[in-house]
Amino acid sequence: MNTRTHCPYCALQCAMSIESGPDGAPTARPADFPTNRGGLCRKGWTSAELLHSPQRITRPLLRTDRSGAFAETDWDTALDHVAARLAAMRAEHGADSVAVFGSGGLTNEKSYLLGKFARLALGTSQIDYNGRFCMSSAAAAGNRAFGIDRGMPFPLPDLAAADTVLLAGANPAETMPPMMGHLTAPRLIVVDPRRSATAQYALDHGGLHLAPRPGTDAALALGLLHAARTADLLDTDYIAARTTGFDDAWRHAAAFWPEQTEQVTGVPAHRVREAAHLLGTAARAYVLTGRGSEQHATGTDTVSAWINLALALGLPGRDGAGYGCITGQGNGQGGREHGQKADQLPGYRKIDDPAARAHVADTWGVDPDELPGPGRSAFELLDSLGTGDGPGAMLLLGSNPAVSAPSAERVRNRLQSLDLLVTCDFVMSETAAMSDVVLPVAQWAEEEGTMTNLEGRLLRRRAVLDPPEGVRTDLQVLSALAVRLGQPAARFPDRPDAVLAELGRASAGGGADYAGVTPQRLDEGEELFWPVPGPEAGTPRMFLDSFAHPDGRARFAPVSHRGAAERPDADYPLYATTGRLMGHYQSGAQTRRIAELDAAEPRAYVEVHPDTGARAGLAEGDWARVVSRRGAALARIRHRSDARTDTVFLPFHFAGDQAANNLTNPALDPTSRMPEFKVSAVRLEPADTAPTAPTAPTAGG
Ligand SMILES: Nc1nc2c(c(=O)[nH]1)N[C@H]1C(S)=C(S)[C@@H](COP(=O)(O)OP(=O)(O)OC[C@H]3O[C@@H](n4cnc5c(=O)[nH]c(N)nc54)[C@H](O)[C@@H]3O)O[C@H]1N2
Ligand SMILES: Nc1nc2c(c(=O)[nH]1)N[C@H]1C(S)=C(S)[C@@H](COP(=O)(O)OP(=O)(O)OC[C@H]3O[C@@H](n4cnc5c(=O)[nH]c(N)nc54)[C@H](O)[C@@H]3O)O[C@H]1N2
Ligand code: SF4
Ligand SMILES: [Mo]
């Protein structure tokens, strides 16, 4: 049996080995790999605990009455029940009455098979996934500028040779700690309304922290472009030779001279000039964006504004320079390529492109007319559930939207109104706890699969343990359901290698081409960055010769600053922004069940400037109600004297009445359909009660 695999959590996909601890229980240890170089964060170190947690679900759970308790059942009963209910729903209300919700945490094989399951076994167009909440704005802006979306078009270790790196809305010191080993550039510029751990690191190492008002990054990027041009720092040869559209883009930036930029963003004009100088005079510079810049109703244009800056300085497609978006979930990159998205077929193909439909239908052995068209985006899909228009049943893998979706109370009501909710999970997440059927699945270290990390690097997660008895893999569940829904078994293989081989064929010739990826090549340690169209080497650095648009040029986007969908006013005078802590992952479904992580941060808190707290009559440690137009979250006051006085910050890892998403605004970006997780207008009030919700529901309740 192998011992080496990769972490279950984020897109860095740190390598680890699973060893037998002193008590015989599996324990994770770091292993060497180019992204983590023998490091792990706290979540990685403790990740093996969930493999043998008493909170693990190991039997299918079923209930016929949503208000009643779950009963354990056998697999045949559970799968027969689910297939019969789905088939009945489809017969009565049509194929689109059944929805599928997937995840950027799923392996490439699962993502691919899930998309195929939706389109063929269910015939539904109603599939989307949680990556819509994560990567969609950066993906849309990357496609627009470069003609293809590979978040980081260069290997991470390239960053070590940089002179200047600008990080906009990313906090890797907490979200990807081993990545800090690559961020050794003498000048780090961190753009974050908060003095995040990464911003503090930059200040401690001779860099800059620019702290704009939440939702004003586009203005700051335009201002930096303005300042760089005024100081004659633009790469005019590159602009002429490798891009189109500069003049139109410049027309929007022309209004953002540094003093005007200060007005809109609050970043002092001299800091704007200083940052432009550091970036523009560096021989090797990178611009990187994270969710802080992207999770806005203007996220696509905001990322475009950052890319415009990078293009004007001549960075993308040059060795030792570039633009990249820092992908989030374990398979945030691969998960957005192989057909879980509402508008997509495998290989990053568009579902409304006749040639793409013909290629994929041919691989699947069906007529192109059998493939449904595009469906609804994640929030729109969740918001339509159980309404007259929307699906009445949903199958969900790898997400916990009862906690992580915007305006979560509204989403919980929609989930509650479904006729049938089926969740595949290994723990009783808040969403699983609302389901009719919970199917217990294997965890990362118990099954084989490939992932595509934040650099577009393919890697193989190996099974290092057997799953507990009674547990099946997601692929086995999808295959068994497909057969019960009348599909030929050969069309839904449940062996990961067979699915990968088919994925390779389906993606061949597409943007994200995996045709040449094989388990053998990965096992032999070959470094494969997509596209990998055949037996030749992959593509570690993209765009060195040309961009992926037909004319080979990158495109400036003519974008301006629009600002947040909701601004503070007399009733809701503060900005609330949300994000992550080092010790919890996402909705917390996994990490709140790990003793050490739960003990470190067991409850929600809200970071406030002491003066802001005092104005609301709140002191350090008090329980506050943070109230927006959507709802309220309970959180304990945590003072930060370095915080902006107009902005509070809440981590979104907690559930029930401590869920930050009770507040958040589902205003969607017009292009990417990304919700505005990073800006809500709120007020603070003393809470009259401490929270009531259990932080972690257990099996059965
Ligand atoms: N510990 C931990 N690590 C994780 C995860 C986790 O849940 N926990 N999740 C993984 C996933 S899926 C993702 S997507 C990544 C996300 O990784 P990051 O993007 O680093 O994470 P966030 O904390 O969401 O946001 C980063 C920063 O954006 C700032 N911000 C808020 N509003 C604005 C704004 O208007 N402008 C700017 N410039 N910044 C703003 C926040 O203060 C925050 O410090 O992390 C991955 N790694
Ligand atoms: N306010 C606010 N909200 C946010 C964000 C924010 O910054 N602020 N960030 C957004 C972002 S970037 C993201 S990525 C989302 C993430 O939020 P979610 O989509 O809720 O992701 P997780 O919490 O990771 O939920 C994963 C669930 O699937 C299970 N799971 C894990 N792996 C597998 C698997 O292989 N198979 C199956 N069947 N189940 C599995 C886990 O046990 C867990 O219950 O949250 C978004 N929500
Ligand atoms: S940085 Fe990401 S991949 Fe690495 S150990 Fe932490 S959670 Fe796992
Ligand atoms: Mo994410």
Side-chain angles (χ1 to χ4, degrees), residues 7 9-14 16 40-41 43-45 175-178:
C7 178
Y9 302 119
C10 87
L12 211 55
Q13 283 301 290
C14 298
M16 48 171 59
L40 288 181
C41 80
K43 297 186 302 303
W45 277 105
T175 55
M176 299 186 182

Side-chain angles (χ1 to χ4, degrees), residues 278-485:
L278 287 177
L279 262 182
T281 55
R284 299 163 80 89
Y286 290 86
V287 173
L288 304 176
T289 61
R291 301 307 84 73
S293 267
E294 301 163 9
Q295 290 174 321
H296 295 273
T298 59
T300 306
D301 282 359
T302 301
V303 177
S304 287
W306 288 117
I307 294 177
N308 285 351
L309 174 66
L311 287 172
L313 296 171
L315 310 182
R318 262 185 41 215
D319 203 7
Y323 163 79
C325 106
I326 306 174
T327 292
Q329 296 180 84
N331 198 26
Q333 181 69 52
R336 69 193 197 242
E337 301 164 355
H338 298 300
Q340 300 185 79
K341 276 172 111 163
D343 53 354
Q344 192 195 58
L345 290 171
Y348 227 129
R349 292 185 157 91
K350 298 291 279 181
I351 203 166
D352 53 8
D353 167 7
R357 294 171 68 84
H359 174 85
V360 173
D362 183 52
T363 313
W364 289 352
V366 299
D367 190 282
D369 291 340
E370 282 181 50
L371 302 179
R376 294 178 170 92
S377 76
F379 178 76
E380 291 164 294
L381 178 59
L382 293 171
D383 200 37
S384 74
L385 298 175
T387 63
D389 282 350
M394 185 161 81
L395 172 69
L396 175 125
L397 276 80
S399 182
N400 186 14
V403 177
S404 59
S407 201
E409 184 66 44
R410 179 164 149 189
V411 167
R412 289 193 291 269
N413 285 332
R414 301 269 44 89
L415 292 168
Q416 204 69 57
S417 70
L418 282 169
D419 288 336
L420 179 72
L421 178 59
V422 181
T423 300
C424 299
D425 209 316
F426 32 76
V427 292
M428 188 59 85
S429 74
E430 286 69 17
T431 309
M434 297 176 69
S435 303
D436 303 283
V437 184
V438 184
L439 300 174
V441 291
Q443 293 191 46
W444 95 106
E446 299 162 349
E447 57 183 348
E448 303 274 316
T450 61
M451 309 283 282
T452 309
N453 81 348
L454 78 172
E455 317 159 274
R457 182 197 298 265
L458 272 292
L459 55 93
R460 192 166 188 217
R461 274 197 192 154
R462 304 304 310 260
V464 300
L465 303 161
D466 292 326
E469 201 197 316
V471 159
R472 294 195 183 178
T473 66
D474 287 306
L475 293 180
Q476 288 170 336
V477 171
L478 292 175
S479 175
L481 282 175
V483 168
R484 281 171 173 76
L485 288 163

Side-chain angles (χ1 to χ4, degrees), residues 9-11 41 43 133-135 167-172 174-177 191-194 196-197 210 212-217 289-293 295-296 306 326-330 577-587 649 652-653 678-679:
Y9 302 119
C10 87
C41 80
K43 297 186 302 303
F133 297 159
C134 179
M135 301 318 312
L167 277 169
N171 182 20
E174 293 209 62
T175 55
M176 299 186 182
V191 180
D192 194 311
R194 291 192 303 145
S196 66
L210 310 181
R213 284 185 189 98
T216 63
D217 282 42
T289 61
R291 301 307 84 73
S293 267
Q295 290 174 321
H296 295 273
W306 288 117
I326 306 174
T327 292
Q329 296 180 84
T577 191
T578 63
R580 294 161 164 83
L581 310 176
M582 161 108 73
H584 280 298
Y585 192 65
Q586 318 274 57
S587 71
F649 170 82
F652 78 100
H653 310 295
K678 291 296 195 252
V679 187

Side-chain angles (χ1 to χ4, degrees), residues 20-104:
S20 208
D23 53 357
T27 315
R29 292 276 173 269
D32 201 36
F33 191 62
T35 63
N36 62 308
R37 292 184 177 150
L40 288 181
C41 80
R42 195 171 191 183
K43 297 186 302 303
W45 277 105
T46 54
S47 56
E49 189 177 317
L50 211 56
L51 292 166
H52 54 95
S53 164
Q55 296 197 49
R56 180 141 187 204
I57 309 171
T58 54
R59 297 276 174 277
L61 301 172
L62 179 69
R63 58 183 170 189
T64 43
D65 170 7
R66 192 66 73 66
S67 54
F70 284 110
E72 287 189 357
T73 186
D74 60 86
W75 275 99
D76 279 334
T77 307
L79 293 169
D80 288 346
H81 176 84
V82 171
R85 294 283 310 272
L86 293 177
M89 181 74 81
R90 194 173 55 172
E92 200 173 334
H93 303 288
D96 278 354
S97 65
V98 177
V100 173
F101 202 86
S103 164

